[in-house]
Amino acid sequence: IAMPGTHQVWSHDIAQGLTFPLAGVGTREGNLNAPRLDAALLSQPSALAYTAGVLYFADSGTSTVRKIDLRSKSISAVIGGDKLLPYTLYSFGDSEGTSYRGQVQNPQGLALADPSTLYVADTYNHRIKLIDPRANDMVNFVGTRSPGFVDGVGKEAQFNEPCGMAVGGDGRLYVADRNNHAIRLVDCTTKSVSTLRLTFD
């Protein structure tokens, strides 16, 4: 459970009906990967994606994507942050690259298609980016840095603060496009972006 207000990630044991902190100090925010999960510093985690014992999360306040290895109980960075100032909350940007060189700004959505395909909503850069978690490498996927409401292919498409995302059973990426008050559909093969038309009786 992403808990942005307390800067933590919590866990819920369904069998026992218990909810408890998993990662994050809870008393302050920051960007610190510590030997113990309860000593790590997070800042406004807001999206989660899980696969094979690894929990990825968008740490919005630090403009990073980080991961928790539930087997080793360790936390580490995937992309974002600052190599020279690793604890800063003010390192953000809009660039492709590996590890620190891959930059986002206030990411608020994640969707995992498979172990090598992690989509991130680069919310304040109005883009969807694609991460290979195995290599900690990120590239632009769809959208431009300019906010807008345009359907199209790849960089032709425009979003306005994309946030929550999910990969549907049809293989398409469903994106909550916050400031456009719309659900956008992304064909992950062709990069074609369209708008879901909702009808109400």
Side-chain angles (χ1 to χ4, degrees):
I1 305 166
M3 301 281 285
T6 61
H7 311 296
Q8 292 176 299
V9 173
W10 284 47
S11 181
H12 178 69
D13 187 318
I14 296 175
Q16 299 186 48
L18 298 175
T19 305
F20 48 89
L22 175 66
V25 171
T27 56
R28 67 185 192 277
E29 63 182 324
N31 186 5
L32 174 64
N33 299 319
R36 298 196 332 267
L37 293 180
D38 61 0
L41 295 178
L42 318 181
S43 180
Q44 301 175 29
S46 61
L48 305 170
Y50 173 81
T51 182
V54 177
L55 183 67
Y56 297 96
F57 66 97
D59 203 29
S60 301
T62 62
S63 292
T64 62
V65 175
R66 301 163 76 180
K67 68 179 180 181
I68 298 170
D69 189 315
L70 298 174
R71 296 156 298 195
S72 64
K73 305 297 183 184
S74 63
I75 184 169
S76 59
V78 179
I79 59 93
D82 190 315
K83 186 174 183 178
L84 298 178
L85 299 169
Y87 308 131
T88 183
L89 294 175
Y90 305 106
S91 177
F92 55 85
D94 181 15
S95 60
E96 300 176 305
T98 301
S99 188
Y100 295 104
R101 290 184 290 274
Q103 294 283 306
V104 293
Q105 185 175 4
N106 206 270
Q108 296 178 22
L110 291 177
L112 189 72
D114 57 61
S116 65
T117 307
L118 178 65
Y119 298 99
V120 55
D122 190 357
T123 303
Y124 285 6
N125 286 322
H126 315 290
R127 299 183 192 266
I128 308 301
K129 294 182 177 178
L130 175 60
I131 297 172
D132 181 347
R134 302 170 304 178
N136 290 357
D137 187 63
M138 181 176 68
V139 295
N140 295 328
F141 190 63
V142 293
T144 70
R145 195 171 185 176
S146 300
F149 193 2
V150 178
D151 289 339
V153 178
K155 294 180 181 179
E156 297 173 357
Q158 287 184 306
F159 300 82
N160 195 332
E161 294 194 7
C163 47
M165 302 191 301
V167 177
D170 57 4
R172 293 187 293 181
L173 184 66
Y174 289 72
V175 182
D177 196 5
R178 177 192 289 138
N179 289 342
N180 286 324
H181 311 287
I183 304 298
R184 313 293 294 281
L185 305 178
V186 183
D187 186 309
C188 296
T189 302
T190 65
K191 298 186 181 181
S192 176
V193 178
S194 59
T195 301
L196 181 64
R197 304 301 176 187
L198 300 175
T199 58
F200 302 93
D201 295 332

